[in-house]
Amino acid sequence: MANNNRGSFSSKFGAIAAIAGSAVGLGNIWKFPYVAGENGGAAFLLIYIGITLLISIPVLLAEFSIGRHGQGNAFRSFVNMTGKKGWGAIGILELLGAIFVLASYCVIAGWSLEYIMRSVMGGFHGMTQTQMDVQFDMFVASGWRPIVWMVVFLIINGGVLGMGVTKGIERCSKFMIPALFCILVMLAGVNLLQPGFNEGAAFILRPNWSVVTGRTILAALGQSFFSLSIGMAAMITYGSYIQRRESLTGVGVIVSLATVLMAVLAGLAIFPSVFSYGIEPTKGADLVFKTLPPLFAELPGGYVISILFFILLFFAALTTSLSIMESLVAFFSEELHIKRIYALGIGFAIILLSSTLCALSQMPDSTILVGGETLFDWTDKFCSAYILPLGGLACVVMVGWFIPHYVVEHELTSSGKTPLWIYKFIVFMMRYICPVVIVVLLVNCILDYFGVDMIATLMSLI
Ligand code: PHE
C-alpha cells in the first residue's frame, strides 16, 4: 500500500513553507482584505480567526490525515485509508476542482508576469485610472498575449515540479514564502507614510460589529476554506509528504495563523494607498491591475515598489499553483505508473487546454460561456461554491465517522506528541460541528444560485 518512493518534505520548516505557499495566494492578497473591510474590519477578522480555529483547521487536519495515512495522491489516499474504492470518487471530485481552479489561476498568474514586465519597462507613473482601465481591458481582450504569459507561467511551474517534491517544491517555497513576507512588510512599511494610512488600516482593523450578520459568518467560512486550499486535493497531496515525525496539528495551526497574518499585511500594503487618493476600495483583478499600479508609482521608490508588488503576486500565485499542479502530477504518475516527467506532461497539457479556454473566454464576443458567464468567472465560482465545501464535508465525515479511532488518533496526536484533549476536541468538531456548518454553507450557495437569500428568509421566519 504505502509507496516508499514517494517524495516528502525534508523538514518542518520546508513543510510549513510549502503548505503556507499553497494557502497564501490570490485569495489572501486581493480578496481577503476587501472582504474583511466590507464585513466589519476587526470584527470580521475575529470571526474569521474563530472559524479558522474551530472549523477550518479540523477540516484541514482531516485532509492532512487522509494524505499522510493513505500515502498516495488524492484519489489513492482515500482508497488506501478506507480500503474501499468508492471513497476514491471524492478524491476525483477534488482533482477536478483542482483543474478548474488552476485554469483561471494560471491566466491571472500570466497577467502578473506581463505587469512585472510593464513595471520594469517604465511603469505606470502619471497614468490615469481611465488609461489603466483601457490598457488592462485591451490586454485581456487581446487573447494571444495573456495566453503566451500563461504558457510561460506553466513552464516555470513545470521547471520547479520537474525537480521533485524536496528539491523543487520545498526549496522554491523555502525561498519564496519568506521573500513574500518581506515584500509585504516592506510595502506595508512604505504605506505607513501615506496620508491615508489611518483610514486604510481602520478599514480592515477597526471593529464594526453593526454590519455583522449571518452572512458575515458564511463569508468568513467560505474565505477561510478557500484560503486554506481546502477541498481541492492540494492539502491531501501535501499531507502525504509530511513526515511521520512532524505534528499535523502543529503544522495546521502554524500555517493557518501565518495565512491570516499575510492577509492582514496585504491589507496594510494595499488600502492606505487606495484611501490616500480617495478611491473606493475594490477587490480582485480591478484592484490589482487597474487601481493600484498608478498609486504605487506615486510612492517614494515607486518604480521598485511596482516591480516588487507584481513579483509578490507572481510568487503567491506560483507557490499556490505548484500545490494544485503537484496534485495532478502525483495522481497521474501513481495511477498510470508512469515517470513524474510524463505525468507532468499530462498535467501540463490539461491545464494548457483549460487555461487557454479560460483566457479566450474573456475576449469580446467570446462564446465560451457557462450559464451566461465566461468560463473564466464560472470555474472560480463553481469551485468555491460547490466543490470546495463538498470535498471538505466528505473529508470530515470520512475521518470523523468511518475511520477507526486508533488510526485517526495516531495521525492527529502524531503518535502521542499532541495532547489527547486536543485530539478529542478536533474529532468532536469533525463529527458533529463541521458537517452541520458546511452543509449550511452549501445550502446557502445552492439557494444563492436560485436567487434565494437564505439568511433573509430565515430571519423573516423567526
Ligand atoms: N488558497 C489559495 C488562495 O488563497 C487558493 C486555492 C484554493 C489553492 C484551493 C488550492 C486549492 O489563493
Side-chain angles (χ1 to χ4, degrees):
M1 244 172 36
N3 175 356
N4 294 326
N5 294 326
R6 305 183 79 248
S8 66
F9 298 129
S10 66
S11 64
K12 184 166 189 170
F13 177 61
I16 290 172
I19 295 166
S22 172
V24 179
L26 300 169
N28 293 73
I29 291 176
W30 79 18
K31 197 163 162 223
F32 178 91
Y34 175 79
V35 175
E38 287 292 287
N39 284 287
F44 179 86
L45 204 62
L46 286 177
I47 293 173
Y48 181 86
I49 293 174
I51 282 187
T52 300
L53 289 174
L54 296 176
I55 311 290
S56 309
I57 290 183
V59 184
L60 182 66
L61 292 178
E63 299 212 341
F64 281 169
S65 313
I66 295 169
R68 188 162 78 174
H69 192 78
Q71 280 302 298
N73 60 77
F75 164 77
R76 188 56 52 189
S77 288
F78 272 102
V79 178
N80 285 350
M81 196 160 188
T82 53
K84 297 197 179 79
K85 261 219 152 98
W87 279 103
I90 309 293
I92 299 288
L93 177 84
E94 294 210 2
L95 284 161
L96 282 175
I99 294 174
F100 283 154
V101 169
L102 197 53
S104 53
Y105 226 88
C106 286
V107 178
I108 301 167
W111 297 346
S112 68
L113 289 174
E114 161 90 14
Y115 273 68
I116 290 177
M117 193 194 72
R118 288 190 189 191
S119 317
V120 172
M121 290 187 14
F124 310 95
H125 191 72
M127 287 187 67
T128 63
Q129 287 293 327
T130 321
Q131 281 171 323
M132 287 305 297
D133 290 1
V134 173
Q135 207 185 64
F136 180 70
D137 292 342
M138 272 172 58
F139 162 63
V140 169
S142 77
W144 66 271
R145 217 179 150 95
I147 293 176
V148 170
W149 282 118
M150 177 269 288
V151 173
V152 173
F153 181 73
L154 270 178
I155 293 173
I156 300 173
N157 258 279
V160 177
L161 291 172
M163 288 189 273
V165 177
T166 319
K167 291 206 174 112
I169 300 174
E170 184 178 341
R171 205 163 51 177
C172 171
S173 309
K174 269 163 64 177
F175 163 71
M176 285 193 180
I177 287 302
L180 210 136
F181 179 74
C182 292
I183 298 178
L184 274 177
V185 170
M186 239 159 71
L187 290 179
V190 175
N191 269 275
L192 255 176
L193 310 170
Q194 287 290 93
F197 182 80
N198 285 345
E199 217 182 329
F203 180 63
I204 51 166
L205 292 180
R206 190 175 37 215
N208 177 6
W209 291 99
S210 68
V211 296
V212 171
T213 62
R215 219 168 288 124
T216 319
I217 296 172
L218 290 181
L221 188 63
Q223 177 67 37
S224 174
F225 276 11
F226 188 79
S227 267
L228 290 179
S229 309
I230 280 168
M232 302 220 207
M235 290 308 185
I236 297 178
T237 311
Y238 272 12
S240 74
Y241 299 145
I242 303 177
Q243 297 213 13
R244 285 247 140 258
R245 60 170 188 260
E246 312 300 355
S247 149
L248 289 187
T249 313
V251 171
V253 172
I254 293 174
V255 167
S256 305
L257 295 180
T259 310
V260 179
L261 175 69
M262 298 273 211
V264 172
L265 274 175
L268 293 178
I270 290 174
F271 287 116
S273 291
V274 174
F275 281 103
S276 296
Y277 288 86
I279 296 173
E280 274 295 298
T282 49
K283 64 174 173 178
D286 280 359
L287 170 70
V288 169
F289 295 103
K290 293 178 174 175
T291 309
L292 283 180
L295 306 186
F296 279 167
E298 296 296 325
L299 290 172
Y303 177 75
V304 178
I305 290 193
S306 301
I307 300 174
L308 281 179
F309 178 70
F310 287 108
I311 289 181
L312 165 89
L313 215 58
F314 164 65
F315 280 6
L318 181 62
T319 48
T320 299
S321 67
L322 286 176
S323 70
I324 312 182
M325 193 73 162
E326 174 60 24
S327 307
L328 298 178
V329 174
F331 173 74
F332 288 120
S333 69
E334 290 168 13
E335 297 311 312
L336 303 179
H337 306 288
I338 52 177
K339 283 197 176 131
R340 250 183 97 80
I341 193 78
Y342 299 129
L344 190 54
I346 301 178
F348 191 99
I350 294 175
I351 302 302
L352 182 64
L353 180 71
S354 50
S355 291
T356 305
L357 289 175
C358 272
L360 291 177
S361 77
Q362 289 196 304
M363 289 176 73
D365 307 325
S366 162
T367 50
I368 311 175
L369 306 173
V370 186
E373 283 186 281
T374 63
L375 184 68
F376 180 91
D377 290 332
W378 180 82
T379 49
D380 178 41
K381 284 191 193 152
F382 183 75
C383 287
S384 309
Y386 306 110
I387 297 191
L388 188 151
L390 257 181
L393 178 65
C395 289
V396 275
V397 168
M398 190 186 102
V399 175
W401 291 96
F402 291 92
I403 302 298
H405 286 301
Y406 70 91
V407 173
V408 184
E409 185 182 327
H410 181 62
E411 285 303 334
L412 290 182
T413 61
S414 295
S415 320
K417 264 185 249 145
T418 307
L420 207 60
W421 69 267
I422 295 187
Y423 155 74
K424 285 192 172 151
F425 174 74
I426 293 169
V427 169
F428 174 80
M429 296 308 281
M430 278 182 189
R431 299 189 100 188
Y432 303 103
I433 311 294
C434 297
V436 176
V437 174
I438 301 175
V439 166
V440 172
L441 179 72
L442 253 175
V443 170
N444 180 60
C445 290
I446 295 170
L447 290 179
D448 213 36
Y449 178 79
F450 291 105
V452 181
D453 184 336
M454 184 179 82
I455 303 287
T457 314
L458 283 178
M459 295 304 275
S460 67
L461 290 176
I462 296 170

